[in-house]
Amino acid sequence: MEPPEGTFVEALIRRVRLAVADAQRQVGQARRLVELCRIADGEIIVRRCAWCGRLSVGGEWTAPESLQGFVPPQAVDNATHSICPDCTDRLEHEGRSHADPRR
């Protein structure tokens, strides 16, 4: 006995959505690895949050400890200061900063 048409289509849509989400996650990981290689080669400057100290790698803000062995210490020491989205939101919420009108 064949499953009803709607059930098959819904299952297929779920599988496609899961596959797309997995592909997006893998692309994000690949971007992070490429950026880590460029940082290690000295091609780009690391951004470090001036408030919490996390580093921006591949569009994600990560604790420096989790990148040990991937990012040379001199790249972290020479990082340019920035502010991560979490700290921006916290500072805006505390009233210590104003929202960026471009956001």
Side-chain angles (χ1 to χ4, degrees):
M1 182 170 151
E2 297 251 341
E5 183 70 25
T7 304
F8 173 75
V9 172
E10 290 169 0
L12 183 59
I13 290 171
R14 274 194 304 276
R15 291 186 75 188
V16 168
R17 286 183 178 151
L18 287 172
V20 168
D22 186 51
Q24 290 171 332
R25 191 183 85 259
Q26 290 179 17
V27 166
Q29 289 174 339
R31 284 188 179 137
R32 284 177 55 105
L33 288 172
V34 167
E35 191 164 325
L36 283 168
C37 290
R38 292 181 66 204
I39 290 169
D41 290 342
E43 293 179 31
I44 59 174
I45 296 175
V46 176
R47 291 187 310 151
R48 170 183 250 169
C49 179
W51 277 260
C52 69
R54 292 185 301 165
L55 305 173
S56 176
V57 177
E60 291 184 31
W61 290 86
T62 309
E65 306 81 48
S66 66
L67 297 174
Q68 285 179 347
F70 294 104
V71 176
Q74 64 271 21
V76 175
D77 294 342
N78 296 328
T80 185
H81 284 87
S82 186
I83 182 168
C84 71
D86 291 342
C87 287
T88 299
D89 291 344
R90 182 176 50 81
L91 290 170
E92 287 174 0
H93 178 72
E94 293 173 357
R96 295 171 48 193
S97 179
H98 301 288
D100 185 345
R102 296 174 288 180
R103 281 177 56 183

